Amino acid sequence: MTDGSADTTTGVLARAAAILNAVEACPRTTGDLAKMLGLSASTVYRLVGEMVRYSMLRRDNDGLLHPGDRFGTSTLGGLAVPILRRLRQETGESAQLWVLRGSHRLCLVSEDSQHELRASLPVGALLPLGAGSAGHVLAGDLDGDADSRALGWWESVSERTPGLTSVSAPVRRDERIVAAVCVAGPVERVPTSAGQLWGQAVRDAALEIEQSLVVRSDW
């Protein structure tokens, strides 16, 4: 007896793979994909929407589809590790790199503070975008706020976890935000604000990661 749900899943995966193969060879529109694959426009539109949502595809300003940023996360994480270690040493607090995953953010790199009391989240942690400085950066809130955009970072205080404060800055690739560098620590160790204390260092780390990505052909 055939499991119908398994057949459906296999069919969806096969279509997703066909779409990835097509856009890997050449950027294409949703209409191009429907004609090429012999599928209805509505089917391709729905599948492409989900693939964009989970960073399997990305759409440029001309509406053309490309392979998504999640296929470069291994490169991104490897480049970020030594930079975040230096950031942790410079600030004395935990440093993390977050990437977008649908309506959530995923912790790609985590370098914990050496303090006994610290902000600590493991690699692979998945959190909603609605709270925390990294969530706001990945959601695009920084670009929508003129003051924060001018500073280059977003600060939060006790927003996700009471007693913790953080500041995050965007990592951009071709003007897109592809990740967020974050430093977080207990409010009691911050005499002024996280932004004033760590903002420039976090922004510098994000820019260093950006510059490292420019020379990588596998991103």
Side-chain angles (χ1 to χ4, degrees):
M1 182 175 179
T2 301
D3 185 342
S5 63
D7 289 344
T8 299
T9 301
T10 301
V12 171
L13 289 175
R15 291 172 180 176
I19 289 172
L20 286 172
N21 289 340
V23 300
E24 189 174 25
C26 177
R28 304 179 193 276
T29 66
T30 303
D32 293 336
L33 290 171
K35 293 176 183 177
M36 176 180 295
L37 302 177
L39 299 171
S40 69
S42 60
T43 295
V44 174
Y45 181 84
R46 287 194 300 271
L47 187 52
V48 163
E50 286 299 293
M51 293 174 74
V52 168
R53 181 169 177 250
Y54 286 99
S55 303
M56 298 174 70
L57 294 173
R58 65 176 179 85
R59 186 179 279 108
D60 66 22
N61 292 333
D62 296 321
L64 295 173
L65 293 161
H66 304 256
D69 294 326
R70 75 178 303 146
F71 297 109
T73 51
S74 178
T75 297
L76 176 62
L79 291 172
V81 167
I83 297 170
L84 291 191
R85 284 178 180 167
R86 292 200 305 271
L87 181 62
R88 179 196 62 190
Q89 292 170 354
E90 181 180 347
T91 62
E93 301 296 346
S94 298
Q96 300 144 0
L97 185 75
W98 296 86
V99 292
L100 186 66
R101 287 293 181 266
S103 59
H104 291 71
R105 55 184 169 112
L106 174 75
C107 185
L108 189 63
V109 178
S110 183
E111 293 292 332
D112 281 354
S113 166
Q114 300 303 302
H115 292 291
E116 185 174 357
L117 179 62
R118 60 182 181 266
S120 179
L121 282 167
V123 170
L126 197 64
L127 299 176
L129 289 180
S133 62
H136 286 290
V137 168
L138 291 173
D141 294 342
L142 182 143
D143 286 347
D145 183 281
D147 291 338
S148 296
R149 179 64 186 262
L151 290 169
W153 44 260
W154 187 285
E155 179 184 4
S156 70
V157 182
S158 295
E159 187 174 346
R160 188 185 64 81
T161 303
L164 290 182
T165 183
S166 70
V167 59
S168 296
V171 175
R172 299 179 189 271
R173 178 69 164 162
D174 299 327
E175 300 185 359
R176 308 184 327 273
I177 295 176
V178 297
V181 173
C182 175
V183 166
V187 173
E188 65 184 45
R189 282 204 296 269
V190 179
T192 54
S193 75
Q196 292 180 22
L197 197 60
W198 309 320
Q200 189 59 54
V202 170
R203 186 178 186 185
D204 289 346
L207 289 173
E208 186 176 353
I209 295 172
E210 283 182 16
Q211 292 163 2
S212 299
L213 287 175
V214 170
V215 300
R216 293 297 297 254
S217 60
D218 53 350
W219 174 263

